[in-house]
Amino acid sequence: MTMLDTYLDAVAAQLPRDTRDDIVAELRDTLLNRFEEREAELGRALSDDEREDILRAMGHPLVVAARYGRGPQSLIGPELFPYWLFAVKAGLFILLAVQALGLVIHLVSGTPNFGQSISQAFHGFFGSALTLIGVATVAGAVLDWQNIRPDFLTKWKVKDLAALRLSDPANWATGMAGADLNAKPSAYRPRPAPKPMPGADALWGVIAGIVFVLWWIGALRGVGMTAVSFGREDMVFQPAPIWAALFTPILAYALSGVAVDLLTVVRPSAIKLRALFRIPLAAAGLWLASVLYQAGTWFTLSQDGVTALVGPAGRYLAPDAWPRMAAAGKDIDGAGLILSTILTWVLAIIAVSLVCSILLNLWRLVRPARDRV
């Protein structure tokens, strides 16, 4: 069997039986003509490699056969793809809301295993999400290949399209308030939100900062950070010595943050002055984050004489960190892995936000005064 015959047999195996012979004969003539034209250009017979180059230029047998195939050339065609994408996005949002609500209920109700609840929430969401995408894809493929179009895709009415406005999160407040989404645009269009009072956000920052300071010095719970039960009654969650070493720096950092927020409340227009204070404050936060990361241990988990360390490590920021956390066991080592992964990511996010704060406030210092907001 020649190289050409092998290629054509591979193509023929993918073609419908009733049209196979005609298509193969057409391809054979086309390829033979290309062989002859190439031989005429070179003035000699083609080598096997040169013949294979021509066959490769024609295309892989699967691709060539698909050109002559019947039905759609994609799993979900362009007509149904927007519907598939909308359904998947809506389904993923619902799954995320359900898993988040379930996690909150478990935590509030006093779950016996905090780490396991988080792991199960992640595992449940990703497993359900893959199932949802698979089912939606199969359904879309069947509709496309069988050329089935439900009435809601072909006989829709304009009055039913108002619900699609909820795809924009900005319109959720309107829907939750009970506004008529089928009303005229002038009736249901959200009104512009009132401008917030200058310094209102900073006021919440002041309140949160004061609460943290009171908790940090032990005024809210007798003592500051101390050993507490975690999950099971016999599992003890105890802070590492690094927190005692950083007690004063963290207290000073929190009080400085409260002072800057108070300045914002009192003088909301003093943008450059606040920026001048926020830059060293953010730099101090980065220093604290660096010291915490280098500490090696943040907390210890103790249970039945066995101890697990909770601390930062580069492996907790690796792409496989969350799958490893989801597969963690129910023992103390699994709880330590879960807490280490979550807290390392939290620290990394805080560090990135502090860097952004420095850059933003530097920009506020150098921009013209007329551009202030």
Side-chain angles (χ1 to χ4, degrees), residues 37-68:
E37 291 174 359
R38 185 58 177 161
E39 289 175 345
E41 293 177 2
L42 299 175
R44 58 175 175 80
L46 297 178
S47 65
D48 287 344
D49 289 341
E50 291 169 336
R51 289 177 181 270
E52 193 163 26
D53 287 340
I54 295 176
L55 295 176
R56 192 178 293 112
M58 173 63 71
H60 192 279
L62 294 176
V63 177
V64 173
R67 298 172 188 162
Y68 299 92

Side-chain angles (χ1 to χ4, degrees), residues 97-112:
V98 170
Q99 291 294 337
L101 179 61
L103 178 60
V104 170
I105 293 175
H106 278 126
L107 298 180
V108 173
S109 61
T111 174

Side-chain angles (χ1 to χ4, degrees), residues 325-349:
M325 185 187 74
K330 301 179 181 179
D331 56 4
I332 190 171
D333 290 331
L337 171 63
I338 293 172
L339 281 175
S340 296
T341 303
I342 294 175
L343 294 179
T344 301
W345 274 94
V346 169
L347 184 66
I349 293 172

Side-chain angles (χ1 to χ4, degrees), residues 260 263-264 267-278 361:
V260 175
L263 176 62
T264 305
R267 296 188 59 187
S269 61
I271 297 177
K272 290 185 179 294
L273 181 61
R274 294 200 311 272
L276 192 61
F277 287 120
R278 289 190 184 278
N361 286 288

